[in-house]
């Protein structure tokens, strides 16, 4: 059973290398995570702080709900409709 973050690391790596279509094939959140990592890194360097801005509970809740919703849709497509929703290794 694939987890909500299965293939997210590969998708993020592809996005950071500029391969957005490949990234989206692995996981839709790949380009989003890559963009967040870049923004976080630039701000952290500019401000010379590891945490350049506060992360509030609602940030985590929204992220978790979006990630789990995407995962449930993929599970429904893959196991409910029998269509390929997860990439083959």
């Amino acid at each position: 059973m694939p987890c909500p973050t299965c293939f997210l690391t590969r998708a993020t790596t592809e996005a950071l290398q500029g391969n957005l279509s490949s990234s989206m094939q692995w996981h839709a959140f790949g380009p989003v995570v890559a963009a967040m990592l870049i923004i976080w890194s630039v701000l952290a360097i500019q401000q010379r702080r590891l945490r350049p801005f506060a992360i509030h509970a609602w940030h985590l809740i929204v992220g978790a709900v979006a990630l789990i919703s995407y995962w449930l849709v993929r599970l429904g497509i893959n196991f409910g409709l029998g269509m390929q929703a997860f990439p083959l290794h």
Side-chain angles (χ1 to χ4, degrees):
M1 176 71 65
C3 70
T5 60
C6 278
F7 309 109
L8 185 55
T9 302
R10 294 179 199 181
T12 303
T13 301
E14 289 292 320
L16 288 171
Q17 293 176 359
N19 304 322
L20 295 181
S21 63
S22 177
S23 175
M24 292 294 292
Q25 290 174 359
W26 285 108
H27 198 290
F29 281 54
V32 174
V33 172
M36 289 172 39
L37 285 172
I38 291 169
I39 291 167
W40 185 284
S41 297
V42 169
L43 291 175
I45 291 168
Q46 286 176 341
Q47 297 178 17
R48 297 177 188 246
R49 296 177 53 194
L50 184 59
R51 289 182 45 201
F53 52 85
I55 298 175
H56 302 288
W58 71 269
H59 292 129
L60 300 175
I61 292 169
V62 168
V65 167
L67 191 60
I68 291 172
S69 298
Y70 173 68
W71 176 61
L72 291 173
V73 168
R74 286 177 91 182
L75 286 177
I77 290 170
N78 200 76
F79 297 112
L81 300 177
M83 298 168 59
Q84 185 70 33
F86 294 95
L88 300 174
H89 304 291

